[in-house]
Amino acid sequence: MKYVSTRGTAPELTFEQAMMTGLARDGGLYVPDVIPTLTHEQIADMAGQSYEEIAFTVMRPFIGDTFTDDEFRGLIETAYSGFRHAARAPIKQLDSNHFLMELFHGPTLAFKDFAMQLIGQMFQASLTRSGKRITIVGATSGDTGSAAIEAFRGLKNVDVFILYPHGRVSEVQRRQMTTPTESNVHALAMDGDFDDCQAALKDMFNDFDFRDGVNLAGVNSINWGRVLAQVVYFFSSAVSVGAPARRVNFTVPTGNFGDIFAGYIAKRMGLPIDQLVIATNQNDILHRTLQTGAQTKEGVTPSISPSMDIQVSSNFERALFEAYGRDGATVAAQMDELKSKGAFTISQGAIDMLRGTFASGRASEDETYAAITDELTRSGELLCPHSAVGVKVADDFQSATPMITLATAHPAKFPAAVEQATGQHPPLPPHMADLYDRDERVTRVANDMVALQTLIKERIAK
Ligand SMILES: *Cc1c(COP(=O)(O)O)cnc(C)c1O
């Protein structure tokens, strides 16, 4: 299995190289050169299997000879052993034909743990073998950062720097990033919004002297390993509601398009998914893109679902690459337009392809609060604001096909919004009950790439 860049000119890499590289050198994102498929029988066999067994079957065809089967099984086993639910991604029934997949039973209470815990294991295995040392720099709207820190804290051959937008993450998210005491963890609060953090990160990757000098590695969802780990739960959940005999739909609360792109890969692998519904908050660039056929950047308005407060949706590039029949030159031209003009128009053929697979909807702030309130009455389920955006959009999407909505974070991660909607204060689980008492450690930084590079070089020299 080889990996190719969505912009067509970076060298082809193995799974291990693509995972350790992050962003391709032509500015693109790595994708497998062929998407493997599973047979109807292989999918049917997943009924009754553990999450770990399903994970092995789904991911094995993508990893080539990076790990032996035994090694890979061991990494999967360790990655999910810290989850606090035996099913890992349990399904709750909300209504006759609507199901909720809870993806918040990992150590930092958001779905990012599914990928990050596994990536942590895979990075460690690879670095132990090569003896290399790497510098991870990540940009976060809140949950990626805490999940990455949790996965890499204390590892000997890794420094982890996390850039988050100052003042724009929830207090629980911030404390999860600023309270770990390990010296290889560096939380950086940047002046700006998430898009500024992500742009600074991409600029660092495109500065090859810096990139090679510090052995830069990325764990944002530009990293193929992240997307791959997320493909698994589309299979495990679909099978538990009757696939492959029954078809299913999914609604995915979306920001950077990573999670929903994992659903697209599951569909391409043979899982009978009809529609993948993009759910956005008031920062609805992806909803507008699908409606109008043009992607136009506007400002970010902070919302109660901050992990989706995004205007530059990195992984959409992977979907575009597929929509353009894997024509890297066209993708590169459109991405250049987005960067220089803040907008681009998708060709008729490509937008038709996207609309055949993806539907979309948005939830305003009021609708999000209302969804939290109503769902508590309807089914007793307490939703985080991101999951509530998903449930609202899924309820608007009329179909006889069973719908699975992804619950992307635990309500206790966003207690203010949940309390305003329901009057209930969702308590933190016991393993982080003392989060508010721990000391915080964070460095405030300007939106200035050179200053950031200097700080990173100084820290890793110590
Ligand atoms: C990251 C995140 C999202 C958005 O996921 P993408 O893969 O970036 O689309 C939604 N909800 C929560 C809670 C998140 O942490």
Side-chain angles (χ1 to χ4, degrees):
M1 170 80 54
K2 285 276 173 206
Y3 285 80
V4 297
S5 165
T6 51
R7 299 196 190 175
T9 58
E12 291 188 0
L13 301 181
T14 65
F15 174 77
E16 183 170 24
Q17 291 167 330
M19 175 181 79
M20 301 306 287
T21 296
L23 198 67
R25 283 184 177 254
D26 57 8
L29 280 69
Y30 275 102
V31 289
D33 64 347
V34 190
I35 299 171
T37 54
L38 298 177
T39 63
H40 187 90
E41 197 184 3
Q42 278 178 302
I43 300 172
D45 282 349
M46 291 175 185
Q49 288 186 354
S50 69
Y51 187 85
E52 287 77 358
E53 285 173 283
I54 296 172
F56 180 81
T57 307
V58 170
M59 294 189 285
R60 180 71 192 87
F62 290 92
I63 66 163
D65 54 11
T66 296
F67 303 110
T68 66
D69 286 1
D70 281 350
E71 226 180 335
F72 192 45
R73 280 183 204 281
L75 299 177
I76 293 170
E77 208 59 51
T78 311
Y80 299 114
S81 61
F83 278 53
R84 288 173 176 80
H85 196 297
R88 310 310 182 213
I91 306 292
K92 292 251 179 88
Q93 188 160 8
L94 297 183
D95 206 337
S96 52
N97 215 21
H98 190 181
F99 301 85
L100 190 74
M101 171 159 50
E102 292 183 348
L103 296 173
F104 50 70
H105 296 282
T108 69
L109 311 182
F111 80 85
K112 306 292 199 296
D113 287 323
F114 277 88
M116 214 62 84
Q117 286 294 317
L118 183 65
I119 287 224
Q121 293 300 315
M122 294 195 292
F123 268 54
Q124 201 180 355
S126 171
L127 292 173
T128 303
R129 206 152 57 192
S130 67
K132 275 196 194 143
R133 183 178 178 82
I134 55 165
T135 305
I136 291 174
V137 184
T140 186
S141 51
D143 295 323
T144 291
S146 46
I149 287 171
E150 190 59 37
F152 291 100
R153 60 196 284 182
L155 293 193
K156 269 213 278 313
N157 28 20
V158 177
D159 270 290
V160 53
F161 292 84
I162 297 296
L163 281 169
Y164 69 84
H166 176 72
R168 295 197 187 212
V169 299
S170 83
E171 184 172 2
V172 175
Q173 289 177 319
R174 189 192 74 231
R175 286 181 169 274
Q176 284 180 327
M177 295 188 276
T178 58
T179 58
T181 53
E182 289 82 355
S183 61
N184 73 328
V185 171
H186 313 269
L188 308 176
M190 196 170 105
D191 293 319
D193 59 25
F194 170 72
D195 290 328
D196 296 323
C197 296
Q198 183 157 256
L201 178 65
K202 284 198 173 176
D203 289 344
M204 280 189 238
F205 269 101
N206 288 324
D207 177 345
F208 294 158
D209 281 344
F210 175 77
R211 177 176 181 160
D212 297 338
V214 304
N215 248 329
L216 190 62
V219 294
N220 276 87
S221 56
I222 51 176
N223 191 312
W224 172 257
R226 285 270 307 273
V227 175
L228 178 59
Q230 293 167 197
V231 178
V232 175
Y233 48 68
F234 286 88
F235 278 91
S236 66
S237 61
V239 166
S240 70
V241 306
R246 262 171 123 191
R247 303 188 69 78
V248 291
N249 288 326
F250 283 95
T251 299
V252 186
T254 307
N256 226 347
F257 213 77
D259 218 3
I260 195 160
F261 189 74
Y264 169 80
I265 295 294
K267 181 177 160 90
R268 287 283 302 273
M269 289 180 75
L271 190 66
I273 299 174
D274 276 342
Q275 291 276 288
L276 288 159
V277 185
I278 297 165
T280 72
N281 65 22
Q282 61 192 6
N283 297 296
D284 60 353
I285 185 165
L286 290 166
H287 177 50
R288 284 185 284 114
T289 301
L290 223 64
Q291 300 258 296
T292 63
Q295 188 156 110
T296 311
K297 227 178 4 179
E298 290 175 0
V300 172
T301 312
S303 79
I304 56 169
S305 44
S307 304
M308 293 159 36
D309 288 345
I310 289 181
Q311 287 289 292
V312 182
S313 188
S314 282
N315 276 288
F316 190 71
E317 179 167 345
R318 287 188 163 118
L320 266 190
F321 183 62
E322 300 298 333
Y324 279 114
R326 305 202 135 210
D327 173 0
T330 301
V331 173
Q334 298 233 290
M335 291 298 117
D336 285 346
E337 253 185 83
L338 183 65
K339 191 154 188 183
S340 62
K341 299 190 194 132
F344 63 91
T345 301
I346 302 170
S347 79
Q348 192 61 46
I351 194 73
D352 288 347
M353 178 280 188
L354 291 169
R355 286 175 182 152
T357 301
F358 300 100
S360 67
R362 86 191 283 274
S364 68
E365 295 289 273
D366 285 347
E367 289 167 332
T368 307
Y369 281 117
I372 299 174
T373 314
D374 295 349
E375 195 53 53
L376 187 64
T377 311
R378 179 165 75 161
S379 67
E381 185 82 10
L382 198 55
L383 299 171
C384 94
H386 309 77
S387 313
V389 166
V391 166
K392 148 80 178 130
V393 169
D395 279 339
D396 290 347
F397 186 81
Q398 299 290 329
S399 164
T401 305
M403 175 64 82
I404 301 173
T405 296
L406 275 56
T408 50
H410 192 287
K413 248 185 141 163
F414 305 93
V418 173
E419 189 161 359
Q420 180 160 341
T422 65
Q424 292 189 14
H425 186 86
L428 282 168
H431 76 279
M432 46 174 81
D434 67 340
L435 188 65
Y436 289 91
D437 306 326
R438 298 179 201 161
D439 289 335
E440 294 193 72
R441 191 167 53 96
V442 57
T443 308
R444 181 90 177 261
V445 295
N447 183 3
D448 172 345
M449 201 207 24
V450 176
L452 268 173
Q453 289 177 327
T454 307
L455 179 143
I456 291 170
K457 282 192 264 187
E458 276 171 14
R459 291 272 184 99
I460 63 175
K462 280 187 191 155

